[in-house]
Amino acid sequence: MCSRFRNSLAAALACALAVLPACERERREYTGAPTSKAPPPRESTLQPGAPIASPADPVGAHYEDIAFHINEGGRLFRAFNCSGCHANGGGGIGPALMDADWRYGGRIEDIHATILEGRPNGMPSFRGKLTDAQAWQLAAYVRALSGNVRNDAEPSRREGMAATPPLDRLPKQPPRDGDPSAGTVPAQ
Amino acid sequence: MRFTARQLLPGAAALACTACNRVQSTLSWSGDQAAASGSIWNLMLWICVPVYVAVLVALALAMRRRESAADVDERAVGRGFTAWLALIVTLLSVLVVASFAVDRRLNRPAVAPLHVRITARQWWWDIQYLDPDVSKRFSTANELHLPVDRDTRIELASADVIHSFWVPSLSGKLDLIPGRTNALTLTPRKVGWYRGQCAEFCGLQHAHMALDVRVDDAAGFAAWRAHQLEAANPPATASATAGKRLFESGACAMCHAVAGTDAGGHNGPDLTHLASRRTIAAGTYPMDRDHLDRWIADPQRPKPGALMPAVPLDPRDRGAIDDYLMGLR
Amino acid sequence: MKAILAATALGALLSLAHAAPPPRDGDWTMPAHDYASTRYSALGAIDANNVARLKVEFTFSTGIDRGQEAAPLVVGDTMYVVGPFPNPVFALDLTRPGAPLRWKYQPHPQPAAQGVACCDVVNRGGAYANGTFVFNTLDGTTIALDAATGKERWKTRMADINKGETITMAPLVVKDKVLVGNSGGEFGIRGWLAALDLADGHVVWKAYDTGPDVEVLIGPSFKPFYAGDRGKDLGVSTWPPQAWKIGGGTVWGWISYDPALNLVYYGTGNPGPWNADQRPGDNKWTSGIFARDADTGQARWFYQFSPHDLYDYDAVNENLLLDLPIGGTTRKVIVRPERNGFVYVMDRATGQVLSADPYGNNNSILRIDLRSGRPVYNAAYQPKPGRTTRGICPGSAGAKDWNPSAYSPQTGLVYIPHINLCMDVEPSEVNYIAGTPYVGTDQRMYAGPGGNRGVLTAWDPVKRKAAWEVKEDLPLWSGALATAGGLVFYGTMDGWFKAVDARTGALKWQFQTGSGIIGQPVSYRGPDGRQYIAVLSGVGGWAGAIVVGNLDPRDATGASGFVNATRDLKEKTGPGGTLYVFALPK
């Protein structure tokens, strides 16, 4: 049919445009999603003496980039009752996840470590109960709650009751370490 | 493109053989609903095929060369045409009335039915048997048991996307639509195993979303139902005991429920009586230890995209879990 | 002086109208003041005429800025204060100026318990009996201390935080037993009430609130008034199979005791999960009230306020044991301002509901059918999974949550500090994963009709209607105190501690304490003979979660919907943890 067109350049352009929607925006990984071999992330920004650089874990950035992983993280967030303590990001029994205050670090590798290892003031440890890929997916979703993933990978409005504004409309809130208002155990 | 008869014959034979299959065939009617649809199918076949043949014959006759226009008897043609029109109108009226009658028959109220709720999920069937006595309700997955000669009213719901419930030997299709509950009555008439599958594209593993249906006589059904109400069998061997502990403390209990234990997840199928079923993973594998082990080791191999992850397990631990699950009859 | 004596005598005379007067009328030995839970102080020196001169006498900082729900106890010349997690106990010497610390006890509960406490890490107080001070820690330990020295006498672990079980309630000492109940209805925890021996802490009996009769301590002496509560093993048959094991019915609220009948009365919490679709059936014995024999724990009767509860209407509120003139005779009743929006008056010997009248804006329950005892639920406001049902009143925190009311025998009124909130709910299927919340709803709460989120109602239980009402902007989450001086004390969530006239509700005095008040005010006679009023100030609890948890107001479903109702709270108050004690100038 292309041969019917007089102008072969226009024809080529039309065919290319027709084919473009078939290109994959991203690759979904059902198996073989990357897991991290990096050492556990530092929890403190302080280091004695001259600091050693701690580059971000590329595995984390991979999960933050892919809408499928973020969406799966959202599904697991409800399925594993994270929403029971953290609501839709606003918090309750657990702290808010949609703001910029992070007691134990707000980078994706910190959140990944928090989920797997737990934290002393009530965050349970899920090591052995989730696969590493699931923990990364959950961490990517938690990052999405504060707008810290690319905007076209952010989930948009929820199907259920509108609790928060759609996530892809929330402003990006880069994490600030150390929640000043809560989290420390009073002297015992 | 042209095919020779020799090339066409195997395909035609295969096509014809699907009609012989009793387990999953729209032409093998083992229940009232399938029989009702089947009766209208038959009627349409016996009306439409002769009409079609007659039209072809008339066409062939009409394409014969004529000597002259004077040979044509106008009035005879007119009478023939009127007769033909009357015949068509009559036959169509018969079809309309029959169709209406069958539709009413398919939608008659169920008589003292068994109540079942099926919630379709990607990509398995969550089956809940209801009862006015709430302590007699139970859940199972991917295998539906029905009593013969009795109405079963099935509520159809979906937890995610549109699926479609289709057991061709027993009835036609009905969609399971999120946000809506449809209902379907099944009245099987022949004891035996049947197979159904999802009939509405629902995602990556739509093709692997089959449903086993077992129709039993009243006594067999009552026995099955009483057994399903019981809590899970306690582990019988040391390995199974270790497997139960791994099941409850590891990733399994995050998604699956086994009645009588601490595992109470609804993300995945209820496993209380897993080993009593014929297949696993919605018909993907037969139920035996080897296939169970393969499934648990990597569910993504037969069913890429399935929501069950490949949980990293030591082969010995996996073996213990297999032993435990094989005991859940 | 004469006026004080006269008032005290009058108070003592009137106090005979209810069960079991306290041992020393100037003390406050249990949070409810007495076994009848009147929270009434017979001290009348502070009255409507002089309360305007009330001044801070001393303060004490607990050092913890979480919700302070406890009632300070006073026995002789010592005051006892229990703090929220990590649950320190402070004993203050009231004989010396400034009430310095006599001793302090630190129980060192597990910090991980903070992760399974649904509604802030609160503690509702301790109890004193026979030289022993008993209290519970968040991680589920009941501890008895020597009241004079603070030394630990015994310690019994009662709860398992790994399953999500904690304890926040104030125990009650009845004869030689300490009554303790658990928390965790939001974690699928099966509820129970246990009696521990006051001398050594071993468990004498334990009655569950779901499951087979033998575990619920239902036996031949069980005679429920209504037919729907009779039958064998209803704690199993009114649930889907196995669901009763994770069914809730926790005992995190108030217990009353009638020495004449030897019965303890307490309420059971909500069934789990909140998504009612997952647990069809009446779900006995949740959201109801039990009467049990104090010595053996055997149930005498039960009444279910909210069968197959749809809204998280826990039934753990206070049970006021009063003798009221009803229908021409004096009836021994329980007055219960219930979470589901009705004030119930019940016969405390049989469990019959004599009357049930709405005291707030209700649409979830149309009325209580006195013949069957069952509430008539409003079909238009029943939540269904996958759908948002809007405008349900009252919301999940009910017309009144745990914060207890007070009764004045002078006026015959029950002073109910409560809330006016409605909600939108969307239930969804929830997985049971032990140690994680087992709830299954998204909801958001907001002010009900009228726009005020809190209200103090003075309710006449005989006339069955309100005598007067004081509307408050913020929800009322503090307890109430009634005194013989004709005053009612309560606190607001933005820190005002108020005294109103018991007859009219007119505001007579208020003081800004620096942080929202959700504690229980008490009144006592100090060693110098003066009347004091004491209250803990420190916002938190479920209602104050947005402040103590620093939650994000953009998520309306935060804190199970309370964030939406108290979105402005961070602007109005901040965390705190200070005891305030007031008195008239010398």
Side-chain angles (χ1 to χ4, degrees):
Chain A
M1 264 145 296
C2 288
S3 60
R4 292 240 180 108
F5 289 97
R6 293 266 174 88
N7 187 339
S8 57
L9 180 61
L13 221 61
C15 287
L17 275 172
V19 153
L20 264 173
C23 294
E24 286 176 339
R25 182 177 92 172
E26 62 186 27
R27 193 128 268 255
R28 293 188 173 189
E29 304 144 325
Y30 304 117
T31 35
T35 60
S36 182
K37 300 275 186 300
R42 292 182 197 281
E43 279 186 47
S44 174
T45 49
L46 287 179
Q47 294 181 42
I52 307 172
S54 307
D57 191 338
V59 173
H62 172 88
Y63 281 86
E64 280 178 335
D65 255 3
I66 297 184
F68 169 68
H69 286 314
I70 295 169
N71 201 59
E72 277 295 287
R75 185 180 67 81
L76 299 175
F77 192 85
R78 297 187 80 80
F80 294 147
N81 295 333
C82 315
S83 52
C85 285
H86 294 283
N88 287 296
I93 301 175
L97 301 176
M98 63 193 294
D99 59 11
D101 293 319
W102 294 89
R103 298 182 196 180
Y104 309 111
R107 297 163 305 164
I108 189 173
E109 46 269 23
D110 296 320
I111 298 169
H112 172 259
T114 297
I115 293 170
L116 288 180
E117 311 309 332
R119 297 293 181 194
N121 285 307
M123 173 67 192
S125 163
F126 286 88
R127 180 172 289 291
K129 322 247 177 199
L130 305 174
T131 64
D132 195 53
Q134 286 179 323
W136 282 114
Q137 288 173 336
L138 281 163
Y141 177 71
V142 170
R143 287 275 289 173
L145 288 174
S146 54
N148 281 299
V149 299
R150 32 183 301 180
N151 195 252
D152 57 357
E154 285 267 11
S156 67
R157 70 171 182 84
R158 286 184 60 231
E159 291 293 311
M161 185 170 84
T164 65
L167 293 181
D168 57 355
R169 298 198 182 272
L170 283 177
K172 178 181 168 117
Q173 298 184 268
R176 288 190 297 256
D177 281 331
D179 182 349
S181 67
T184 54
V185 180
Q188 297 209 41
Chain B
M1 300 171 91
R2 289 168 174 273
F3 291 102
T4 64
R6 190 170 282 146
Q7 282 169 321
L8 283 171
L9 211 53
L15 207 62
C17 277
T18 59
C20 312
N21 152 33
R22 293 201 109 65
V23 169
Q24 183 179 11
S25 167
T26 44
L27 299 180
S28 156
W29 307 315
S30 306
D32 281 2
Q33 288 71 26
S37 310
S39 66
I40 190 98
W41 190 90
N42 255 339
L43 186 63
M44 291 188 83
L45 188 73
W46 288 108
I47 290 177
C48 295
V49 166
V51 167
Y52 182 59
V53 166
V55 166
L56 287 180
V57 163
L59 196 60
L61 290 174
M63 288 197 306
R64 261 185 325 135
R65 206 179 276 274
R66 281 189 205 291
E67 301 307 325
S68 75
D71 286 350
V72 175
D73 181 351
E74 294 276 354
R75 271 210 299 262
V77 168
R79 276 200 300 272
F81 183 71
T82 311
W84 181 248
L85 188 63
L87 179 68
I88 294 299
V89 168
T90 311
L91 292 176
L92 280 178
S93 306
V94 166
L95 283 180
V96 165
V97 169
S99 173
F100 180 76
V102 165
D103 179 70
R104 291 293 85 211
R105 191 142 62 106
L106 281 173
N107 284 292
R108 66 165 172 80
V111 173
L114 172 72
H115 286 280
V116 175
R117 179 185 295 153
I118 297 185
T119 305
R121 299 171 193 266
Q122 287 173 323
W123 287 277
W124 56 281
W125 304 92
D126 183 0
I127 301 168
Q128 204 190 5
Y129 282 77
L130 307 175
D131 193 288
D133 180 348
V134 300
S135 62
K136 301 246 178 321
R137 299 186 174 197
F138 62 91
S139 290
T140 182
N142 297 328
E143 192 172 282
L144 179 67
H145 282 236
L146 299 172
V148 75
D149 293 331
R150 189 180 161 196
D151 287 345
T152 299
R153 186 103 179 119
I154 305 184
E155 287 172 21
L156 300 170
S158 169
D160 36 42
V161 298
I162 301 180
H163 301 264
S164 188
F165 178 88
W166 190 35
V167 186
S169 300
L170 295 181
S171 88
K173 303 175 186 176
L174 193 54
D175 282 4
L176 300 94
I177 301 168
R180 184 193 162 84
T181 304
N182 281 335
L184 176 67
T185 304
L186 292 185
T187 314
R189 293 290 178 194
K190 293 202 195 92
V191 168
W193 282 100
Y194 301 96
R195 190 177 182 276
Q197 63 189 58
C198 178
E200 181 66 41
F201 181 69
C202 53
L204 209 64
Q205 290 303 327
H206 161 69
H208 286 133
M209 191 171 162
L211 179 69
D212 279 329
V213 181
R214 168 75 192 167
V215 175
D216 260 329
D217 58 18
F221 178 76
W224 175 85
R225 189 180 188 175
H227 180 65
Q228 292 289 315
L229 270 171
E230 290 167 10
N233 292 339
T237 65
S239 174
T241 308
K244 175 171 187 272
R245 202 163 39 240
L246 286 163
F247 185 94
E248 284 173 323
S249 62
C252 315
M254 298 284 282
C255 290
H256 290 286
V258 176
T261 71
D262 282 339
H266 293 293
N267 289 322
D270 187 299
L271 302 181
T272 309
H273 297 282
L274 175 67
S276 70
R277 296 181 205 152
R278 251 192 2 164
T279 60
I280 54 174
T284 308
Y285 277 158
M287 175 70 223
D288 58 52
R289 197 180 186 288
D290 177 52
H291 282 101
L292 185 63
D293 190 76
R294 262 196 263 170
W295 171 251
I296 295 174
D298 190 3
Q300 302 297 317
R301 174 95 58 88
K303 232 171 151 173
L307 298 179
M308 174 162 162
V311 178
L313 282 169
D314 192 84
R316 222 177 11 181
D317 287 343
R318 194 170 63 240
I321 293 177
D322 295 335
D323 286 335
Y324 174 60
L325 293 175
M326 289 306 294
L328 295 180
R329 277 181 213 296
Chain C
M1 191 59 193
K2 277 206 196 122
I4 297 170
L5 281 170
T8 314
L10 181 68
L13 211 66
L14 286 165
S15 75
L16 287 172
H18 62 79
R24 292 158 57 153
D25 64 351
D27 284 351
W28 199 284
T29 61
M30 60 186 94
H33 179 261
D34 46 58
Y35 284 136
S37 302
T38 63
R39 292 179 164 83
Y40 173 75
S41 171
L43 304 172
I46 302 172
D47 59 30
N49 295 323
N50 58 27
V51 70
R53 296 189 282 122
L54 204 61
K55 287 198 152 1
V56 177
E57 186 74 13
F58 66 88
T59 61
F60 175 77
S61 171
T62 61
I64 307 162
D65 56 1
R66 304 300 295 258
Q68 310 279 340
E69 286 189 359
L73 300 191
V74 174
V75 183
D77 53 16
T78 310
M79 176 181 282
Y80 302 91
V81 176
V82 185
F85 180 89
N87 305 128
V89 181
F90 305 100
L92 305 180
D93 181 352
L94 298 175
T95 61
R96 313 237 297 275
L101 199 58
R102 210 172 237 152
W103 52 257
K104 174 168 78 172
Y105 174 82
Q106 300 276 24
H108 304 292
Q110 305 168 62
Q114 299 173 89
V116 291
C118 82
C119 311
D120 196 11
V121 295
V122 296
N123 186 294
R124 298 188 181 93
Y128 171 92
N130 294 351
T132 308
F133 181 86
V134 264
F135 71 109
N136 297 307
T137 64
L138 186 66
D139 65 344
T141 310
T142 306
I143 302 179
L145 307 175
D146 180 309
T149 62
K151 293 275 176 291
E152 186 185 299
R153 285 230 180 104
W154 51 257
K155 182 154 93 166
T156 308
R157 174 159 299 285
M158 297 298 296
D160 178 6
I161 62 167
N162 274 309
K163 295 188 316 196
E165 195 177 26
T166 52
I167 301 184
T168 56
M169 54 92 78
L172 187 72
V173 180
V174 171
K175 297 200 256 185
D176 58 344
K177 297 184 185 57
V178 180
L179 296 175
V180 172
N182 61 350
S183 297
E186 278 63 59
F187 286 81
I189 292 299
R190 191 175 166 214
W192 48 257
L193 177 76
L196 285 69
D197 189 302
L198 180 61
D200 60 15
H202 78 272
V203 178
V204 179
W205 54 257
K206 187 167 181 178
Y208 284 92
D209 297 318
T210 64
D213 286 350
V214 64
E215 292 179 13
V216 184
L217 298 190
I218 285 178
S221 53
F222 184 59
K223 297 193 178 355
F225 188 84
Y226 295 99
D229 299 315
R230 293 180 212 136
K232 183 153 172 34
D233 286 338
L234 292 179
V236 174
S237 65
T238 57
W239 295 86
Q242 317 293 332
W244 54 268
K245 295 182 183 170
I246 49 176
T250 52
V251 183
W252 57 274
W254 301 111
I255 311 175
S256 296
Y257 170 59
D258 183 338
L261 295 172
N262 198 36
L263 291 175
V264 294
Y265 304 95
Y266 68 98
T268 58
N270 61 291
W274 290 21
N275 175 12
D277 218 57
Q278 288 181 233
R279 44 163 176 85
D282 269 355
N283 309 138
K284 297 216 191 296
W285 306 88
T286 62
S287 288
I289 177 173
F290 264 115
R292 290 187 182 276
D293 181 289
D295 299 313
T296 62
Q298 288 290 326
R300 186 68 57 78
W301 56 259
F302 172 86
Y303 171 71
Q304 200 169 27
F305 293 107
S306 304
H308 186 60
D309 166 57
L310 301 164
Y311 309 103
D312 184 45
Y313 290 161
D314 295 61
V316 299
N317 289 355
E318 68 283 10
N319 311 287
L320 290 90
L321 307 186
L322 306 175
D323 296 345
L324 297 178
I326 295 178
T329 61
T330 303
R331 301 289 298 263
K332 292 180 177 305
V333 299
I334 298 172
V335 175
R336 158 77 81 99
E338 171 57 14
R339 180 110 157 214
N340 68 6
F342 290 79
V343 178
Y344 287 77
V345 178
M346 306 174 65
D347 182 313
R348 65 180 185 258
T350 64
Q352 181 189 7
V353 176
L354 302 174
S355 65
D357 302 291
Y359 65 105
N361 288 310
N362 292 355
N363 61 26
S364 59
I365 297 176
L366 295 169
R367 64 177 197 287
I368 311 299
D369 176 8
L370 293 182
R371 233 174 349 108
S372 64
R374 296 182 73 89
V376 177
Y377 286 114
N378 188 338
Y381 289 99
Q382 292 190 14
K384 291 255 175 322
R387 189 181 87 191
T388 302
T389 307
R390 300 183 193 274
I392 301 174
C393 308
S396 288
K400 189 179 82 63
D401 204 284
W402 73 280
N403 46 318
S405 37
Y407 171 76
S408 169
Q410 288 178 344
T411 59
L413 298 175
V414 179
Y415 300 96
I416 310 175
H418 63 113
I419 57 182
N420 175 34
L421 297 178
C422 300
M423 68 174 175
D424 302 340
V425 188
E426 187 198 1
S428 55
E429 193 176 50
V430 58
N431 291 300
Y432 175 72
I433 301 172
T436 67
Y438 186 49
V439 173
T441 62
D442 273 316
Q443 46 190 70
R444 108 174 99 219
M445 296 200 268
Y446 41 86
N452 55 302
R453 289 168 283 182
V455 52
L456 177 74
T457 297
W459 182 268
D460 188 323
V462 174
K463 292 199 190 122
R464 293 163 53 187
K465 58 188 199 356
W468 49 258
E469 248 183 24
V470 172
K471 293 195 196 319
E472 294 280 354
D473 172 35
L474 291 166
L476 283 184
W477 210 252
S478 82
L481 163 72
T483 69
L487 294 169
V488 175
F489 289 85
Y490 68 99
T492 63
M493 283 187 75
D494 55 355
W496 288 100
F497 188 45
K498 298 189 177 184
V500 298
D501 187 308
R503 283 190 202 287
T504 64
L507 180 66
K508 292 293 178 187
W509 169 90
Q510 59 179 3
F511 181 84
Q512 171 54 242
T513 60
S515 175
I517 297 176
I518 61 167
Q520 306 164 60
V522 304
S523 179
Y524 66 95
R525 185 188 300 117
D528 59 358
R530 288 155 71 211
Q531 182 184 10
Y532 293 85
I533 313 282
V535 72
L536 280 161
S537 162
V539 77
W542 185 14
I546 189 175
V547 170
V548 281
N550 192 24
L551 306 182
D552 197 311
R554 291 173 295 174
D555 179 3
T557 60
S560 300
F562 234 117
V563 161
N564 195 59
T566 49
R567 251 184 204 181
D568 52 345
L569 195 62
K570 282 195 205 180
E571 278 86 65
K572 299 195 162 140
T573 189
T578 303
L579 170 78
Y580 283 80
V581 180
F582 302 88
L584 293 171
K586 284 210 213 347

